[in-house]
Amino acid sequence: MIKNGSKCIEKHNIQVAVRCRPIPSLSRDNNINLDIIKDRQELRLHLTDKSTKVYTFDRVFTPESSQLNIYKSMVMPMVEEVLEGYNCTIFAYGQTGTGKTHTMIGQRDCQEFLSWEDDPMAGIIPRVLGQLFDRLDAITGEYTVRVSYLELYNEDIYDLLCHASIENQKKLRIFEDSSRK
C-alpha cells in the first residue's frame, strides 16, 4: 500500500486488464452473450449450453472505451515509474483479430499532427513515446532511452525494431532466468 495524502492506494506489480470489443454478428447468431459488470471488473460469458463463465480482471474496458481512457488508466502511471528508473512492460495478448494492434499502435492521421493527448486514435505506443519525450524535454541533463518491441507468435519471438525481415532475423531465444535477477 502507498499512502497518498489521506487515502491509501494499493500498488500491484502485475495488473491485468481486458478491452472488450463488440461481439461479431456470427457469434450473436449462435446465442453467445457477454455481460460486462463494470463495478465488479468482471466479464460473464453466457454460452449456448446455458452455462456461464465468469472472468475477473483488475480493469475491464467496454467497447466504447477510448484509446485515451485506456492509456490514462493503465499506462500513464507506468511512464512516471519508468522516469523513476523502474523497468515496465506492457503485454498485449489475444487471438488474431481481437484488437491488439489497434490498442497498441492505433491509427494515425499522417496529414494532421496531433499531440499524444489530442489524437483520439493514437494507441499506447505513440502515446508512451509522446509523454516520455515531453517529460524528458523538461529535464536538464542527459538521458538514455532503451526500447524493446517484440512479437511472440507461435512460440517464436521477433524483434519488430530489427531492420531485417522476420524471415531473415536471427532467432531470439526465450529462457527463464534461474537466478531471478
Side-chain angles (χ1 to χ4, degrees), residues 2 77 129 145:
I2 295 175
L129 294 173
V145 176

Side-chain angles (χ1 to χ4, degrees), residues 94-106:
Q95 293 177 304
T96 300
T98 57
K100 298 176 300 295
T101 301
H102 173 71
T103 298
M104 295 301 292
I105 298 172

